[in-house]
Amino acid sequence: MSSNQIESVLKENRTFAPPQKFIDNSVLSQADFDALNARAEEDHAGFWGDLARAEIDWQQDFEQALDDSNAPFFKWFVGGKLNVSHNCIDRHLADKADKLAFIWENDAGDEVRRITFQEFHDEVCRFANGLKALGVGKGDRVVIYMPMVPEAVYAMQACARIGAIHSVVFGGFSSEALRDRINDAEAKLLITADGNLRGGKEVPLKSMTDKALDAGCPSIEKSVVLLHGGLDVSMNPDRDISWADVVAGQATECEPEWVDPEHPLFILYTSGSTGKPKGVQHSSGGYLLGAIMTNKWVFDLHADDVYWCTADVGWITGHTYICYGPTAVGVTQIMFEGVPTYPDAGRFWRMVQDHNVTIFYTAPTAIRALMKAGDDIPKDYDLSSLRLLGTVGEPINPEAWMWYRETIGKNNCPIVDTWWQTETGSIMISPLPGQTTLKPGSCTRPLPGIAATIYDEEGNEVTQPNVGGYLVVTKPWPSMLRTVWGDDQRFRDTYFFKFGDRVYIAGDSAQRDDDHYFWILGRIDDVVNVSGHRLGTMEVESALVAHKAVAEAAVVGFPHEVKGEAIMAFVVLKTGYADEEGLDQELRKHVTEQLGALARPEEVRIAEGLPKTRSGKIMRRLLKSIAKGEDITQDTSTLENPAILDQLRG
Ligand code: WT7
């Protein structure tokens, strides 16, 4: 990528300072953050070492904060011993035993469970003892394939408690995807449920599991089945055992297994791209520290906050910002089984109102879906408890950001646009809600101790404003992935392929503006080169979404005789707009007006939806094939809505 050719066409210049009340009540002040940044600058490893001592309960103190002698295989907090589950649960019992850890709502919205930290402790210990009785121990892999129920978190925490390594597979994945992950991890145990309702639709987890196991998962010895959804399932007496039987008679105390900080806490497979899934391996000590610090810094947590991260525990966001981070800092959180649009598009807002949610963290795809449903819906609910909003997962279009700010936050809540990845373990670049002046669409600046910057093709730092390049991290950080499970070479080849063993390549392209704010342009392969000019697909998408008729847009490049590459735009219209004659021309003109003729889509295709993975990511590879007129050979098993493909083929 000749990155000096990337042209900035982002023309966002609105800015929003934090509300004074938020500044006044922030846990940490600007002076506190200045001190953190200064300390990190002066002694990177010592900075993290100090935090690790202050924020984690160690069973045995560590001797060395960072061992970087074998880059890119970094080791943090060498010589220490800890247990993650002890840090998330036991240490709160002295003063927070009766505080709610979870408020859970089921899919239909007619059941609420309230779980204190004491109950959380007892359930995790009983299940941990049950796992031990099944012969699961330190280092064994356990695959978890469950709905969004508290037991999913209990299962993860129980693994952490006994030193077993969990690998959560999102409940929306197919049986083939499940089987591949079980086999790659060589898991001994599978934990699942009969099934559940999600958005009113039955998810038959147990029968999918049976399909996966029957197709060949030689490492699996037993499968634990939570009977939750009332589905009719067949239990294989040689293999299947109910959750209730696993915990029956087990004690509510379970001595934690004290592990080395580098002991793998979990493996999480990254989805979406072609090839064998990549098992991102995370550590115990460093990962926990990243989860704790980012929860505190980015979410400004107070003792009485009600925090809600809407992710599924099948994704990294659900690991770090449901299972581990919020529990480690002892905040009350909401957990939700369902989807944002069921029974209607007011579901999130009804739950915010009913539970007095103060901090709300969701994804741009959800925001756009709810925005599409119209402004009248949120107006029916009292959202005044909200004080902080967050987003994660993809660049947020400025229009969606403004809607979130105005219609949900009532112009009164900072929005933290958090950039990070499965691989980074925790948030890397994000506004500090009480300090940072926001710009819609920018994740602003790196957190303390995170050496994120931009490199050009030659590995020089790009210091000029509005020049794009590779988003890299030039110093190790505690919550970074440790390797790709069972494949050190792939770890090197994927993340350290260009600038040496100390420069982590995120795979995103980005640029900074005059204020050193980061703007994510997309994945490296999402940059389109039109007539020698590189355009971030996101910029064109934002322009399209700014049109009154457009709800959502995805843009890809395809080969063009004269221009090298041209742009094809796939567009979903807002409710109330029809695909009228001439609309595609109008949209092409609109993009030209917004961004210049260079960015004008060669073709606009209007459809009812975009092909997305179940995590809401647009499957650009598929769109690229469609744009090129190729047959689709990619794996479409993780697609939410396969029927859309026919419409898009035009
Ligand atoms: C990729 C990582 C991190 C949890 C969810 C996704 C994109 C993520 C942002 C953001 C722009 C973002 C990047 C990144 N991304 N957050 N705030 N602004 N882009 O995890 O599946 O590992 O995906 O998501 O492209 O590389 P993931």
Side-chain angles (χ1 to χ4, degrees):
M1 177 169 74
S2 54
S3 50
N4 55 359
Q5 287 180 346
I6 293 182
E7 261 183 32
S8 167
V9 284
L10 278 165
K11 292 209 179 69
E12 183 54 56
N13 47 28
R14 288 169 285 197
T15 60
F16 301 93
Q20 192 58 45
K21 195 167 155 235
F22 202 102
I23 301 174
D24 295 343
N25 293 326
S26 290
V27 177
L28 295 174
S29 66
Q30 183 63 54
D32 295 325
F33 280 106
D34 289 345
L36 287 167
N37 283 316
R39 172 81 177 120
E41 271 300 305
E42 159 204 291
D43 176 6
H44 182 74
F47 164 81
W48 287 114
D50 291 351
L51 292 174
R53 286 208 172 87
E55 302 282 347
I56 291 177
D57 252 18
W58 294 93
Q59 198 256 353
Q60 180 183 302
D61 191 15
F62 54 90
E63 289 143 26
Q64 190 186 0
L66 170 65
D67 173 1
D68 63 353
S69 60
N70 186 30
F73 302 96
F74 301 101
K75 290 190 177 131
W76 286 92
F77 315 128
V78 182
K81 287 250 185 288
L82 81 162
N83 180 278
V84 170
S85 146
H86 165 86
N87 275 276
C88 295
I89 308 174
D90 305 38
R91 64 166 164 168
H92 303 312
L93 297 184
D95 61 339
K96 294 194 200 72
D98 297 328
K99 182 173 180 173
L100 291 180
F102 295 96
I103 301 170
W104 175 81
E105 267 204 25
N106 70 344
D107 182 60
D110 56 6
E111 189 189 347
V112 177
R113 282 163 70 183
R114 293 188 166 77
I115 299 147
T116 64
F117 276 97
Q118 183 68 55
E119 289 163 336
F120 183 30
H121 169 270
D122 295 355
E123 295 301 328
V124 169
C125 287
R126 290 172 73 207
F127 194 66
N129 286 325
L131 289 179
K132 287 204 275 191
L134 289 174
V136 179
K138 185 176 169 191
D140 288 338
R141 273 82 62 208
V142 173
V143 165
I144 299 174
Y145 184 59
M146 289 185 82
M148 275 295 284
V149 291
E151 287 84 355
V153 174
Y154 302 163
M156 294 163 78
Q157 289 279 354
C159 287
R161 196 161 190 96
I162 64 172
I165 304 166
H166 62 69
S167 183
V168 184
V169 176
F170 175 53
F173 276 151
S174 66
S175 52
E176 297 92 275
L178 175 63
R179 189 193 59 209
D180 289 347
R181 285 156 178 76
I182 290 172
N183 289 340
D184 189 76
E186 295 176 280
K188 189 168 178 178
L189 188 83
L190 176 70
I191 306 172
T192 187
D194 52 350
N196 72 321
L197 292 173
R198 197 164 168 272
K201 289 189 209 104
E202 211 170 82
V203 185
L205 292 170
K206 176 67 165 73
S207 62
M208 308 253 270
T209 300
D210 289 342
K211 233 169 119 187
L213 297 187
D214 294 346
C217 292
S219 58
I220 292 286
E221 292 172 8
K222 291 270 180 244
S223 129
V224 178
V225 184
L226 175 76
L227 298 176
H228 161 77
L231 275 71
D232 200 9
V233 293
S234 65
M235 297 285 274
N236 172 342
D238 297 332
R239 185 187 69 201
D240 302 335
I241 168 167
S242 77
W243 179 292
D245 286 342
V246 172
V247 297
Q250 294 295 351
T252 55
E253 293 294 335
C254 173
E255 173 68 11
E257 178 80 35
W258 304 105
V259 300
D260 186 282
E262 289 301 314
H263 181 68
L265 179 65
F266 64 86
I267 306 164
L268 186 60
Y269 287 85
T270 52
S271 63
S273 54
T274 53
K276 189 168 161 252
K278 267 196 308 255
V280 170
Q281 177 182 321
H282 277 290
S283 68
S284 297
Y287 172 80
L288 178 64
L289 185 64
I292 293 173
M293 295 328 304
T294 53
N295 258 274
K296 291 192 169 184
W297 291 338
V298 176
F299 297 114
D300 179 49
L301 293 175
H302 290 63
D304 57 354
D305 270 316
V306 178
Y307 161 103
W308 184 10
C309 164
T310 69
D312 190 286
V313 291
W315 310 119
I316 190 70
T317 309
H319 283 59
T320 311
Y321 298 104
I322 296 177
C323 181
Y324 292 114
T327 58
V329 298
V331 70
T332 295
Q333 65 176 316
I334 307 292
M335 189 172 176
F336 176 39
E337 183 178 23
V339 300
T341 48
Y342 182 82
D344 57 56
R347 182 63 188 269
F348 273 0
W349 319 131
R350 199 270 289 153
M351 286 178 63
V352 166
Q353 167 185 283
D354 287 1
H355 302 298
N356 291 305
V357 172
T358 57
I359 300 171
F360 182 72
Y361 187 34
T362 196
T365 180
I367 296 168
R368 288 194 301 263
L370 298 174
M371 177 168 95
K372 193 176 154 198
D375 294 358
D376 290 345
I377 295 171
K379 286 200 183 104
D380 287 345
Y381 300 92
D382 177 3
L383 303 180
S384 60
S385 58
L386 289 172
R387 64 180 195 88
L388 174 57
L389 303 174
T391 124
V392 60
E394 57 177 308
I396 179 163
N397 323 76
E399 291 320 306
W401 195 99
M402 287 304 297
W403 182 84
Y404 198 28
R405 175 181 164 85
E406 287 167 358
T407 311
I408 306 307
K410 316 291 180 201
N411 293 309
N412 199 33
C413 301
I415 298 177
V416 287
D417 176 352
T418 62
W419 179 87
W420 59 296
Q421 309 175 292
T422 304
E423 293 88 341
T424 68
S426 58
I427 298 169
M428 302 289 278
I429 308 179
S430 168
L432 300 167
Q435 279 74 38
T436 310
T437 292
L438 307 172
K439 300 185 188 182
S442 169
C443 52
T444 77
R445 302 174 78 160
L447 293 176
I450 300 299
T453 187
I454 296 171
Y455 273 11
D456 69 13
E457 203 64 40
E458 280 75 47
N460 302 308
E461 190 163 11
V462 175
T463 52
Q464 311 92 297
N466 305 324
V467 175
Y470 293 90
L471 178 49
V472 297
V473 188
T474 59
K475 289 178 188 164
W477 66 102
S479 69
M480 70 190 292
L481 80 163
R482 294 306 194 259
T483 189
V484 171
W485 177 256
D487 199 345
D488 287 349
Q489 193 56 44
R490 191 157 178 214
F491 170 65
R492 285 198 128 107
D493 293 346
T494 310
Y495 306 106
F496 298 90
F497 61 90
K498 207 169 161 71
F499 308 120
D501 285 339
R502 283 162 197 276
V503 178
Y504 170 83
I505 304 172
D508 282 358
S509 61
Q511 63 190 31
R512 279 179 292 209
D513 66 16
D514 293 316
D515 297 318
H516 297 269
Y517 279 27
F518 283 73
W519 296 81
I520 308 297
L521 300 172
R523 298 292 298 174
I524 290 172
D525 52 9
D526 283 346
V527 172
V528 184
N529 189 330
V530 181
S531 306
H533 294 269
R534 287 172 183 262
L535 294 166
T537 50
M538 184 241 157
E539 299 167 305
V540 184
E541 288 162 12
S542 286
L544 283 162
V545 173
H547 187 278
K548 62 182 189 309
V550 176
E552 200 167 12
V555 155
V556 297
F558 68 98
H560 186 279
E561 253 183 48
V562 181
K563 303 176 179 176
E565 258 187 308
I567 288 173
M568 185 171 298
F570 299 90
V571 165
V572 182
L573 299 181
K574 279 191 192 142
T575 314
Y577 286 90
D579 181 5
E580 282 161 5
E581 175 102 61
L583 179 59
D584 57 343
Q585 292 307 326
E586 188 183 320
L587 292 176
R588 295 177 71 223
K589 197 168 135 239
H590 171 80
V591 174
T592 311
E593 282 162 10
Q594 295 262 310
L595 298 174
L598 203 58
R600 180 173 55 224
E602 204 67 12
E603 199 180 329
V604 175
R605 289 201 186 159
I606 297 169
E608 279 159 28
L610 297 171
K612 287 186 188 166
T613 64
R614 282 163 219 256
S615 63
K617 272 209 198 323
I618 296 168
M619 292 185 79
R620 290 173 185 283
R621 276 168 214 280
L622 284 179
L623 292 177
K624 280 183 191 158
S625 295
I626 291 171
K628 286 185 196 156
E630 292 171 343
D631 288 335
I632 290 170
T633 53
Q634 293 95 337
D635 175 23
T636 54
S637 63
T638 59
L639 210 57
E640 176 94 63
N641 45 0
I644 291 299
L645 292 180
D646 290 318
Q647 288 181 21
L648 293 172
R649 272 199 210 101

mmCIF file of all heavy atoms in Angstrom, residues 450-482:
data_model
loop_
_atom_site.group_PDB
_atom_site.id
_atom_site.type_symbol
_atom_site.label_atom_id
_atom_site.label_comp_id
_atom_site.label_asym_id
_atom_site.label_seq_id
_atom_site.Cartn_x
_atom_site.Cartn_y
_atom_site.Cartn_z
ATOM 1 N N ILE A 450 -0.584 2.650 25.673
ATOM 2 C CA ILE A 450 -0.833 1.987 24.384
ATOM 3 C C ILE A 450 -0.112 2.771 23.285
ATOM 4 O O ILE A 450 -0.491 3.897 22.959
ATOM 5 C CB ILE A 450 -2.347 1.901 24.095
ATOM 6 C CG1 ILE A 450 -3.075 1.105 25.184
ATOM 7 C CG2 ILE A 450 -2.599 1.302 22.698
ATOM 8 C CD1 ILE A 450 -2.635 -0.341 25.362
ATOM 9 N N ALA A 451 0.932 2.143 22.728
ATOM 10 C CA ALA A 451 1.782 2.835 21.752
ATOM 11 C C ALA A 451 1.258 2.624 20.338
ATOM 12 O O ALA A 451 1.941 2.059 19.479
ATOM 13 C CB ALA A 451 3.223 2.343 21.892
ATOM 14 N N ALA A 452 0.032 3.076 20.093
ATOM 15 C CA ALA A 452 -0.556 2.938 18.755
ATOM 16 C C ALA A 452 -0.129 4.115 17.892
ATOM 17 O O ALA A 452 -0.122 5.261 18.345
ATOM 18 C CB ALA A 452 -2.081 2.897 18.860
ATOM 19 N N THR A 453 0.239 3.810 16.659
ATOM 20 C CA THR A 453 0.599 4.873 15.728
ATOM 21 C C THR A 453 0.355 4.388 14.304
ATOM 22 O O THR A 453 -0.275 3.353 14.096
ATOM 23 C CB THR A 453 2.058 5.335 15.962
ATOM 24 O OG1 THR A 453 2.316 6.483 15.146
ATOM 25 C CG2 THR A 453 3.064 4.238 15.651
ATOM 26 N N ILE A 454 0.846 5.162 13.343
ATOM 27 C CA ILE A 454 0.603 4.820 11.938
ATOM 28 C C ILE A 454 1.944 4.758 11.208
ATOM 29 O O ILE A 454 2.783 5.641 11.373
ATOM 30 C CB ILE A 454 -0.339 5.863 11.300
ATOM 31 C CG1 ILE A 454 -1.706 5.797 12.013
ATOM 32 C CG2 ILE A 454 -0.513 5.605 9.807
ATOM 33 C CD1 ILE A 454 -2.655 6.893 11.642
ATOM 34 N N TYR A 455 2.134 3.699 10.457
ATOM 35 C CA TYR A 455 3.370 3.514 9.687
ATOM 36 C C TYR A 455 3.058 3.563 8.196
ATOM 37 O O TYR A 455 1.993 3.110 7.759
ATOM 38 C CB TYR A 455 3.994 2.146 9.999
ATOM 39 C CG TYR A 455 4.909 2.117 11.199
ATOM 40 C CD1 TYR A 455 4.988 3.181 12.100
ATOM 41 C CD2 TYR A 455 5.721 0.999 11.429
ATOM 42 C CE1 TYR A 455 5.837 3.130 13.197
ATOM 43 C CE2 TYR A 455 6.573 0.933 12.526
ATOM 44 C CZ TYR A 455 6.627 2.005 13.410
ATOM 45 O OH TYR A 455 7.470 1.933 14.483
ATOM 46 N N ASP A 456 4.031 4.059 7.446
ATOM 47 C CA ASP A 456 3.913 3.959 5.990
ATOM 48 C C ASP A 456 4.504 2.624 5.528
ATOM 49 O O ASP A 456 4.966 1.813 6.347
ATOM 50 C CB ASP A 456 4.548 5.170 5.298
ATOM 51 C CG ASP A 456 6.065 5.193 5.424
ATOM 52 O OD1 ASP A 456 6.673 4.165 5.833
ATOM 53 O OD2 ASP A 456 6.656 6.244 5.112
ATOM 54 N N GLU A 457 4.508 2.446 4.225
ATOM 55 C CA GLU A 457 4.973 1.200 3.622
ATOM 56 C C GLU A 457 6.394 0.814 4.063
ATOM 57 O O GLU A 457 6.727 -0.358 4.183
ATOM 58 C CB GLU A 457 4.924 1.390 2.102
ATOM 59 C CG GLU A 457 4.832 0.161 1.285
ATOM 60 C CD GLU A 457 3.540 -0.605 1.523
ATOM 61 O OE1 GLU A 457 2.475 0.030 1.664
ATOM 62 O OE2 GLU A 457 3.624 -1.829 1.573
ATOM 63 N N GLU A 458 7.212 1.817 4.312
ATOM 64 C CA GLU A 458 8.620 1.562 4.659
ATOM 65 C C GLU A 458 8.843 1.412 6.166
ATOM 66 O O GLU A 458 9.978 1.246 6.603
ATOM 67 C CB GLU A 458 9.516 2.697 4.148
ATOM 68 C CG GLU A 458 9.864 2.590 2.664
ATOM 69 C CD GLU A 458 8.689 2.972 1.781
ATOM 70 O OE1 GLU A 458 8.069 4.022 2.053
ATOM 71 O OE2 GLU A 458 8.375 2.206 0.846
ATOM 72 N N GLY A 459 7.770 1.544 6.937
ATOM 73 C CA GLY A 459 7.946 1.425 8.385
ATOM 74 C C GLY A 459 8.338 2.736 9.047
ATOM 75 O O GLY A 459 8.831 2.734 10.173
ATOM 76 N N ASN A 460 8.140 3.850 8.352
ATOM 77 C CA ASN A 460 8.340 5.152 8.997
ATOM 78 C C ASN A 460 7.022 5.607 9.591
ATOM 79 O O ASN A 460 5.962 5.375 9.001
ATOM 80 C CB ASN A 460 8.801 6.202 7.978
ATOM 81 C CG ASN A 460 10.086 5.771 7.295
ATOM 82 O OD1 ASN A 460 11.059 5.418 7.965
ATOM 83 N ND2 ASN A 460 10.074 5.759 5.964
ATOM 84 N N GLU A 461 7.117 6.289 10.715
ATOM 85 C CA GLU A 461 5.912 6.796 11.340
ATOM 86 C C GLU A 461 5.322 7.904 10.464
ATOM 87 O O GLU A 461 6.049 8.780 9.996
ATOM 88 C CB GLU A 461 6.252 7.340 12.730
ATOM 89 C CG GLU A 461 5.022 7.659 13.526
ATOM 90 C CD GLU A 461 5.322 7.795 15.010
ATOM 91 O OE1 GLU A 461 6.499 7.841 15.399
ATOM 92 O OE2 GLU A 461 4.346 7.856 15.777
ATOM 93 N N VAL A 462 4.026 7.839 10.246
ATOM 94 C CA VAL A 462 3.363 8.893 9.470
ATOM 95 C C VAL A 462 2.986 10.002 10.446
ATOM 96 O O VAL A 462 2.148 9.810 11.324
ATOM 97 C CB VAL A 462 2.095 8.358 8.773
ATOM 98 C CG1 VAL A 462 1.346 9.487 8.062
ATOM 99 C CG2 VAL A 462 2.459 7.251 7.785
ATOM 100 N N THR A 463 3.643 11.126 10.316
ATOM 101 C CA THR A 463 3.376 12.217 11.259
ATOM 102 C C THR A 463 2.504 13.298 10.637
ATOM 103 O O THR A 463 1.910 14.104 11.344
ATOM 104 C CB THR A 463 4.692 12.848 11.761
ATOM 105 O OG1 THR A 463 5.469 13.176 10.612
ATOM 106 C CG2 THR A 463 5.457 11.882 12.642
ATOM 107 N N GLN A 464 2.415 13.307 9.303
ATOM 108 C CA GLN A 464 1.596 14.337 8.655
ATOM 109 C C GLN A 464 0.117 14.047 8.893
ATOM 110 O O GLN A 464 -0.296 12.893 8.903
ATOM 111 C CB GLN A 464 1.799 14.370 7.125
ATOM 112 C CG GLN A 464 3.207 14.388 6.645
ATOM 113 C CD GLN A 464 3.713 12.980 6.386
ATOM 114 O OE1 GLN A 464 3.810 12.160 7.305
ATOM 115 N NE2 GLN A 464 4.022 12.686 5.140
ATOM 116 N N PRO A 465 -0.677 15.089 9.064
ATOM 117 C CA PRO A 465 -2.115 14.877 9.220
ATOM 118 C C PRO A 465 -2.752 14.369 7.926
ATOM 119 O O PRO A 465 -2.273 14.684 6.824
ATOM 120 C CB PRO A 465 -2.653 16.257 9.590
ATOM 121 C CG PRO A 465 -1.610 17.236 9.196
ATOM 122 C CD PRO A 465 -0.302 16.516 9.164
ATOM 123 N N ASN A 466 -3.803 13.593 8.092
ATOM 124 C CA ASN A 466 -4.644 13.152 6.984
ATOM 125 C C ASN A 466 -3.902 12.357 5.920
ATOM 126 O O ASN A 466 -4.242 12.404 4.746
ATOM 127 C CB ASN A 466 -5.368 14.346 6.349
ATOM 128 C CG ASN A 466 -6.146 15.122 7.401
ATOM 129 O OD1 ASN A 466 -6.698 14.529 8.325
ATOM 130 N ND2 ASN A 466 -6.146 16.431 7.277
ATOM 131 N N VAL A 467 -2.873 11.658 6.345
ATOM 132 C CA VAL A 467 -2.188 10.720 5.456
ATOM 133 C C VAL A 467 -2.346 9.338 6.084
ATOM 134 O O VAL A 467 -2.005 9.138 7.246
ATOM 135 C CB VAL A 467 -0.697 11.084 5.290
ATOM 136 C CG1 VAL A 467 0.018 10.022 4.463
ATOM 137 C CG2 VAL A 467 -0.560 12.457 4.642
ATOM 138 N N GLY A 468 -2.855 8.431 5.306
ATOM 139 C CA GLY A 468 -3.183 7.112 5.853
ATOM 140 C C GLY A 468 -2.014 6.157 5.847
ATOM 141 O O GLY A 468 -0.991 6.384 5.191
ATOM 142 N N GLY A 469 -2.153 5.094 6.572
ATOM 143 C CA GLY A 469 -1.132 4.051 6.600
ATOM 144 C C GLY A 469 -1.582 2.898 7.471
ATOM 145 O O GLY A 469 -2.767 2.777 7.788
ATOM 146 N N TYR A 470 -0.615 2.080 7.835
ATOM 147 C CA TYR A 470 -0.911 0.908 8.661
ATOM 148 C C TYR A 470 -1.078 1.315 10.127
ATOM 149 O O TYR A 470 -0.196 1.976 10.683
ATOM 150 C CB TYR A 470 0.251 -0.078 8.618
ATOM 151 C CG TYR A 470 0.470 -0.730 7.281
ATOM 152 C CD1 TYR A 470 1.307 -0.159 6.330
ATOM 153 C CD2 TYR A 470 -0.147 -1.934 6.985
ATOM 154 C CE1 TYR A 470 1.522 -0.774 5.104
ATOM 155 C CE2 TYR A 470 0.061 -2.560 5.763
ATOM 156 C CZ TYR A 470 0.895 -1.973 4.821
ATOM 157 O OH TYR A 470 1.105 -2.586 3.623
ATOM 158 N N LEU A 471 -2.148 0.894 10.737
ATOM 159 C CA LEU A 471 -2.306 1.084 12.182
ATOM 160 C C LEU A 471 -1.466 0.022 12.879
ATOM 161 O O LEU A 471 -1.659 -1.181 12.662
ATOM 162 C CB LEU A 471 -3.788 0.965 12.552
ATOM 163 C CG LEU A 471 -4.165 1.082 14.023
ATOM 164 C CD1 LEU A 471 -3.544 2.290 14.685
ATOM 165 C CD2 LEU A 471 -5.671 1.153 14.160
ATOM 166 N N VAL A 472 -0.499 0.467 13.669
ATOM 167 C CA VAL A 472 0.419 -0.461 14.344
ATOM 168 C C VAL A 472 0.512 -0.114 15.831
ATOM 169 O O VAL A 472 0.145 0.986 16.240
ATOM 170 C CB VAL A 472 1.841 -0.403 13.731
ATOM 171 C CG1 VAL A 472 1.832 -0.853 12.276
ATOM 172 C CG2 VAL A 472 2.451 1.000 13.864
ATOM 173 N N VAL A 473 1.019 -1.064 16.612
ATOM 174 C CA VAL A 473 1.288 -0.808 18.025
ATOM 175 C C VAL A 473 2.749 -1.175 18.235
ATOM 176 O O VAL A 473 3.156 -2.317 17.990
ATOM 177 C CB VAL A 473 0.371 -1.642 18.944
ATOM 178 C CG1 VAL A 473 0.540 -1.210 20.396
ATOM 179 C CG2 VAL A 473 -1.093 -1.520 18.516
ATOM 180 N N THR A 474 3.543 -0.204 18.673
ATOM 181 C CA THR A 474 4.997 -0.378 18.635
ATOM 182 C C THR A 474 5.610 -0.853 19.944
ATOM 183 O O THR A 474 6.816 -1.029 20.024
ATOM 184 C CB THR A 474 5.683 0.942 18.216
ATOM 185 O OG1 THR A 474 5.318 1.945 19.172
ATOM 186 C CG2 THR A 474 5.235 1.368 16.832
ATOM 187 N N LYS A 475 4.771 -1.022 20.971
ATOM 188 C CA LYS A 475 5.276 -1.625 22.216
ATOM 189 C C LYS A 475 4.274 -2.675 22.654
ATOM 190 O O LYS A 475 3.064 -2.477 22.483
ATOM 191 C CB LYS A 475 5.384 -0.569 23.325
ATOM 192 C CG LYS A 475 6.497 0.431 23.113
ATOM 193 C CD LYS A 475 6.496 1.472 24.224
ATOM 194 C CE LYS A 475 7.482 2.586 23.886
ATOM 195 N NZ LYS A 475 7.248 3.773 24.726
ATOM 196 N N PRO A 476 4.756 -3.777 23.261
ATOM 197 C CA PRO A 476 3.796 -4.782 23.746
ATOM 198 C C PRO A 476 2.910 -4.189 24.833
ATOM 199 O O PRO A 476 3.321 -3.254 25.528
ATOM 200 C CB PRO A 476 4.697 -5.876 24.314
ATOM 201 C CG PRO A 476 6.021 -5.224 24.568
ATOM 202 C CD PRO A 476 6.150 -4.112 23.583
ATOM 203 N N TRP A 477 1.706 -4.710 24.937
ATOM 204 C CA TRP A 477 0.805 -4.261 26.006
ATOM 205 C C TRP A 477 0.250 -5.523 26.679
ATOM 206 O O TRP A 477 0.210 -6.598 26.059
ATOM 207 C CB TRP A 477 -0.295 -3.350 25.443
ATOM 208 C CG TRP A 477 -1.255 -4.044 24.499
ATOM 209 C CD1 TRP A 477 -2.507 -4.479 24.783
ATOM 210 C CD2 TRP A 477 -1.023 -4.386 23.125
ATOM 211 N NE1 TRP A 477 -3.073 -5.066 23.671
ATOM 212 C CE2 TRP A 477 -2.184 -5.027 22.649
ATOM 213 C CE3 TRP A 477 0.068 -4.231 22.250
ATOM 214 C CZ2 TRP A 477 -2.293 -5.511 21.332
ATOM 215 C CZ3 TRP A 477 -0.043 -4.715 20.946
ATOM 216 C CH2 TRP A 477 -1.219 -5.339 20.501
ATOM 217 N N PRO A 478 -0.149 -5.418 27.946
ATOM 218 C CA PRO A 478 -0.437 -6.647 28.703
ATOM 219 C C PRO A 478 -1.520 -7.541 28.114
ATOM 220 O O PRO A 478 -1.404 -8.765 28.162
ATOM 221 C CB PRO A 478 -0.856 -6.108 30.081
ATOM 222 C CG PRO A 478 -0.120 -4.810 30.207
ATOM 223 C CD PRO A 478 -0.116 -4.223 28.827
ATOM 224 N N SER A 479 -2.594 -6.963 27.540
ATOM 225 C CA SER A 479 -3.704 -7.822 27.111
ATOM 226 C C SER A 479 -3.588 -8.276 25.655
ATOM 227 O O SER A 479 -4.551 -8.771 25.094
ATOM 228 C CB SER A 479 -5.042 -7.100 27.330
ATOM 229 O OG SER A 479 -5.163 -6.020 26.425
ATOM 230 N N MET A 480 -2.420 -8.124 25.047
ATOM 231 C CA MET A 480 -2.295 -8.576 23.655
ATOM 232 C C MET A 480 -2.377 -10.097 23.560
ATOM 233 O O MET A 480 -2.076 -10.804 24.519
ATOM 234 C CB MET A 480 -0.985 -8.080 23.034
ATOM 235 C CG MET A 480 0.259 -8.739 23.583
ATOM 236 S SD MET A 480 1.787 -7.894 23.031
ATOM 237 C CE MET A 480 1.800 -8.261 21.281
ATOM 238 N N LEU A 481 -2.799 -10.581 22.410
ATOM 239 C CA LEU A 481 -2.812 -12.032 22.217
ATOM 240 C C LEU A 481 -1.401 -12.569 22.382
ATOM 241 O O LEU A 481 -0.425 -11.871 22.103
ATOM 242 C CB LEU A 481 -3.380 -12.403 20.853
ATOM 243 C CG LEU A 481 -2.482 -12.302 19.608
ATOM 244 C CD1 LEU A 481 -3.092 -13.086 18.469
ATOM 245 C CD2 LEU A 481 -2.212 -10.876 19.193
ATOM 246 N N ARG A 482 -1.283 -13.814 22.814
ATOM 247 C CA ARG A 482 0.042 -14.401 23.017
ATOM 248 C C ARG A 482 0.504 -15.193 21.808
ATOM 249 O O ARG A 482 1.687 -15.287 21.527
ATOM 250 C CB ARG A 482 0.043 -15.274 24.262
ATOM 251 C CG ARG A 482 -0.178 -14.477 25.539
ATOM 252 C CD ARG A 482 0.831 -13.330 25.649
ATOM 253 N NE ARG A 482 0.874 -12.753 26.990
ATOM 254 C CZ ARG A 482 0.277 -11.617 27.363
ATOM 255 N NH1 ARG A 482 -0.389 -10.911 26.467
ATOM 256 N NH2 ARG A 482 0.375 -11.184 28.604
#
